[in-house]
Amino acid sequence: MKIRAIALNTFKEAIRDRILYLLLFFAALCIILSRILALLTIGDRAKIIMDVGLASLSLFGVLMAILIGTGLVYKEIDKRTLYTLLAKPIQRYQFLLGKYLGLLLTLFVMLVLMTLVFLVLILLHRYPIEGAFFLAILFVFVELCLITAVALLFSCFSTPILSTLFSLSFYLIGHLSWGLETLINKLPQGGIKTLARILYLFLPNLENFNFKTEVVHHLSIPPKIFLYSSLYGIFYTVFILALAVMVFRRRDFI
Amino acid sequence: MDTVLRIENIHKSFKAGFIPKRKKILDGISLEVNGGEIFGYLGPNGAGKTTTLKCVLGLIFPDKGKIQIFGHSNLSLQAKEKIGFLPENPYFYDYLTATEFLSFYSDLTLVKKENKQAQIENLLQLVGLNQAADLQLRKFSRGMLQRIGLAQALINDPSLVFLDEPLGGLDPLGRKEIRDVIIRLKEEGKTVFLSSHILQDIEMICDRVAILVSGKIINQGALQDLISEKVKVTEITLSGVKTEDCKDLGDCYSAQEGRIFLKVFEEEKIATVIQLVQTKKGKIHSLIPRTETLEDLFVGAVKQR
């Protein structure tokens, strides 16, 4: 109940942020521009539209999550709205979860809006839509859940600019960490290989949530992969949220 | 009377600077607040008043010491359900209207849904904001923010209310109104913990006070015990007498329209002054005995440190 009240207030606050609409505008622009890009391409135009459209959805979703997520808790501390809130009979973790869920709700609404623009474009051109298309978008949302948790974690102890940099780094590392796997396969047995393995274990692998290629090229995806990716997303998010709660619980609000 | 707030020997220091250096803010604060009283927490700027309040409210954690509210730990929900807090220079979500804001805060407490609307209307009435119920907080003046801040502190009908500089930034009328609200809270049996450096207000309404200087409580007790009722000086305004005649009686100043302002320090000399005025056929315009004020006590205490 208390978490819900905080979540709804966070949603009300986030939905007023102008950055959100700017990003939404550019996302819509990118999706529509994919049509022009398709005109310049030799080959299957539908593939270009799908590819650019899904990539825009994912990229702008992540930007929204990071730019709003990193300011959420910081703003409450900076403007001292947190003082009266935490003096009410709520636990600190309830506040943090409320903020998190409120932002997820905002991102969900934004993702739905972007998907609608995308769907209109696809339907206008009478391209076929498969179930995998919606699954790919669902996994974009799973990725957003994780990125939001990361943004929230950094927001608990850092300024918005630093948090944004940290969160963007997390996103980039997450999408490039598969390179480390290739490296591990090529390294000779020894200390460095073990070190690289341990590093790979802790670094996020956000490519687990990327099903764009499969959707664009109509490749089949084994259900086991979906299950694995979902579990990976849930556990990683819970882990990051637990870290955020631990940091936030012991923090002094000077 | 029951003790509603017990603070035992709390210490707090912060690390500050590029090369972190520990700075002591609170140095062994102990105090007790009894049920139903208005307790004044006094101190100059930077003495640690707000830090103490933040420790009590669980916004920061003391390095050492114990805080109990109604016998529970200050961090427990049982304790928080019974308290209200108005911070210094409050700032709230400025995109909400007064009603929306109170409704949001009401959802965070145990206020029953069916009572919510009535409770909000009562509070807006109490702090004199019923005209501004549907106005966004961004359009509120400083005084109005202070009032809505007081309303949110009372949303859960708390038994103990913490007010940090509640009269700061208010005009004289606003101060009187908020003071009346505080007195009304006491009449309803609530306990009020008032932190302030505006001595006049504290003197007017507080039952007991504690004086905090540089993180230490240097004096605490009932106001009448701390301030002696002995007359320190008598201020007399008179006319029809020459200044030279009064010189031996006390400090003598010339005032407007040929009047003399005289400060008499010994009580027995007052009769001499009156006699003098009678023989010279002069006139006494005013005679005011001044007892020690909280300000004297406060200034004396701060200077001693």
Side-chain angles (χ1 to χ4, degrees):
Chain A
M1 183 65 201
K2 289 170 186 174
I3 295 180
R4 202 184 76 169
I6 295 171
L8 284 178
N9 187 55
T10 306
F11 176 69
K12 269 189 202 169
E13 185 185 354
I15 212 86
R16 299 178 60 88
D17 207 322
R18 281 189 199 127
I19 296 178
L20 208 59
Y21 296 98
L22 198 72
L23 289 172
L24 190 65
F25 171 73
F26 278 110
L29 204 68
C30 272
I31 293 168
I32 293 165
L33 279 181
S34 67
R35 173 73 191 99
I36 298 170
L37 213 62
L39 289 176
L40 304 171
T41 320
I42 306 165
D44 197 347
R45 286 177 181 171
K47 278 183 183 158
I48 296 295
I49 293 181
M50 279 287 183
D51 206 4
V52 176
L54 279 173
S56 311
L57 225 68
S58 165
L59 179 71
F60 284 98
V62 165
L63 284 179
M64 283 174 188
I66 291 177
L67 288 178
I68 297 180
T70 50
L72 270 187
V73 173
Y74 182 82
K75 235 196 290 182
E76 296 257 2
I77 299 170
D78 192 42
K79 292 192 170 175
R80 289 179 290 163
T81 43
L82 190 75
Y83 292 2
T84 46
L85 210 61
L86 288 187
K88 296 274 173 270
I90 61 166
Q91 302 283 9
R92 286 190 177 187
Y93 80 86
Q94 289 176 317
F95 166 79
L96 212 58
L97 282 187
K99 283 266 142 195
Y100 178 68
L101 293 177
L103 186 56
L104 278 196
L105 181 63
T106 315
L107 291 172
F108 180 75
V109 171
M110 289 296 141
L111 200 61
V112 167
L113 287 178
M114 288 192 283
T115 308
L116 283 179
V117 175
F118 196 13
L119 276 178
V120 168
L121 185 76
I122 294 172
L123 291 175
L124 274 179
H125 291 85
R126 305 221 174 106
Y127 293 133
I129 298 173
E130 295 169 2
F133 169 77
F134 292 105
L135 266 177
I137 292 178
L138 181 71
F139 275 93
V140 168
F141 187 66
V142 174
E143 184 178 353
L144 289 186
C145 291
L146 176 54
I147 297 285
T148 307
V150 170
L152 197 72
L153 168 65
F154 289 129
S155 172
C156 286
F157 61 83
S158 186
T159 58
I161 294 179
L162 278 179
S163 307
T164 305
L165 282 176
F166 291 149
S167 309
L168 275 176
S169 311
F170 180 89
Y171 176 70
L172 287 178
I173 291 170
H175 277 288
L176 298 173
S177 61
W178 57 269
L180 197 62
E181 197 186 7
T182 322
L183 182 71
I184 290 169
N185 290 336
K186 297 216 165 154
L187 276 175
Q189 285 294 341
I192 295 186
K193 188 166 181 149
T194 320
L195 204 71
R197 271 224 178 95
I198 292 171
L199 192 64
Y200 182 65
L201 201 68
F202 281 99
L203 287 181
N205 187 352
L206 299 179
E207 282 299 311
N208 281 336
F209 309 124
N210 185 358
F211 294 105
K212 292 181 204 79
T213 322
E214 286 83 347
V215 171
V216 170
H217 298 284
H218 308 291
L219 304 175
S220 64
I221 311 162
K224 226 169 85 183
I225 300 279
F226 280 130
L227 184 72
Y228 167 74
S229 291
S230 313
L231 286 178
Y232 182 76
I234 290 167
F235 281 119
Y236 215 121
T237 307
V238 169
F239 172 70
I240 298 285
L241 281 179
L243 269 185
V245 167
M246 268 164 62
V247 171
F248 196 68
R249 255 178 68 176
R250 294 305 308 168
R251 220 200 120 148
D252 276 344
F253 298 108
I254 303 163
Chain B
M1 214 176 283
D2 297 342
T3 304
V4 295
L5 169 69
R6 177 175 284 130
I7 300 178
E8 280 173 38
N9 195 29
I10 55 167
H11 291 256
K12 181 72 191 173
S13 53
F14 291 116
K15 281 186 197 153
F18 184 67
I19 301 164
K21 207 177 141 194
R22 280 211 164 264
K23 192 173 175 237
K24 220 168 202 173
I25 306 291
L26 298 180
D27 191 7
I29 303 279
S30 296
L31 58 85
E32 283 184 5
V33 177
N34 301 324
E37 70 178 358
I38 302 182
F39 188 89
Y41 198 46
L42 286 174
N45 290 332
K49 298 189 296 285
T50 303
T51 308
T52 313
L53 272 180
K54 282 184 180 173
C55 282
V56 172
L57 295 160
L59 292 169
I60 57 179
F61 302 98
D63 303 331
K64 219 168 92 181
K66 210 167 116 185
I67 303 169
Q68 284 195 312
I69 299 173
F70 294 100
H72 302 286
S73 151
N74 63 322
L75 301 175
S76 68
L77 290 188
Q78 290 107 307
K80 282 187 173 178
E81 271 154 19
K82 292 184 179 168
I83 61 170
F85 169 52
L86 165 69
E88 189 181 1
N89 301 330
Y91 179 92
F92 304 109
Y93 306 95
D94 56 8
Y95 49 89
L96 297 178
T97 67
T99 311
E100 282 172 346
F101 170 65
L102 291 180
S103 164
F104 168 38
Y105 270 30
S106 163
D107 288 342
L108 301 177
T109 62
L110 292 179
V111 178
K112 287 199 180 87
K113 251 202 166 135
E114 55 268 27
N115 302 341
K116 194 165 111 176
Q117 205 50 42
Q119 169 86 335
I120 290 172
E121 277 167 26
N122 281 343
L123 281 175
L124 287 173
Q125 181 88 33
L126 180 73
V127 296
L129 281 177
N130 36 354
Q131 299 291 328
D134 297 318
L135 198 66
Q136 275 187 335
L137 297 191
R138 70 171 74 234
K139 291 174 187 146
F140 271 38
S141 69
R142 175 110 161 64
M144 287 163 89
L145 277 178
Q146 200 81 16
R147 286 155 194 253
I148 193 79
L150 191 59
Q152 67 78 26
L154 302 174
I155 190 88
N156 52 339
D157 194 22
S159 309
L160 170 60
V161 191
F162 294 92
L163 308 174
D164 196 0
E165 303 284 0
L167 302 152
L170 293 176
D171 58 25
L173 192 67
R175 287 157 81 112
K176 190 191 171 301
E177 281 173 11
I178 298 286
R179 221 162 33 220
D180 289 346
V181 173
I182 296 173
I183 292 169
R184 179 139 31 127
L185 293 178
K186 187 191 168 183
E187 283 167 3
E188 286 172 12
K190 297 185 197 309
T191 313
V192 181
F193 187 101
L194 189 75
S195 149
S196 180
H197 59 243
I198 304 174
L199 299 164
Q200 202 192 355
D201 300 322
I202 289 218
E203 197 163 20
M204 244 183 248
I205 53 179
C206 288
D207 300 308
R208 289 200 311 133
V209 296
I211 300 179
L212 181 77
V213 180
S214 313
K216 276 189 176 153
I217 290 182
I218 51 167
N219 215 339
Q220 67 172 317
L223 208 51
Q224 62 266 34
D225 295 341
L226 294 180
I227 303 168
S228 66
E229 286 187 8
K230 196 170 160 261
V231 176
K232 277 180 72 192
V233 60
T234 308
E235 293 169 356
I236 309 171
T237 320
L238 43 89
S239 60
V241 180
K242 284 182 183 154
T243 318
E244 298 91 74
D245 299 335
C246 308
K247 266 193 177 147
D248 299 333
L249 299 169
D251 289 351
C252 200
Y253 309 91
S254 299
Q256 286 173 336
E257 297 165 21
R259 288 183 186 186
I260 295 169
F261 179 70
L262 188 65
K263 270 186 169 178
V264 183
F265 295 95
E266 293 97 354
E267 260 183 295
E268 55 277 7
K269 282 192 181 168
I270 297 167
T272 324
V273 176
I274 297 171
Q275 222 169 24
L276 178 77
V277 175
Q278 278 172 343
T279 47
K280 299 272 178 189
K281 297 223 162 37
K283 202 174 166 190
I284 291 182
H285 300 279
S286 72
L287 189 147
I288 309 162
R290 297 269 184 216
T291 51
E292 189 181 28
T293 60
L294 189 57
E295 188 174 320
D296 299 322
L297 182 76
F298 183 71
V299 172
V302 174
K303 272 189 182 160
Q304 260 180 20
R305 301 295 298 179

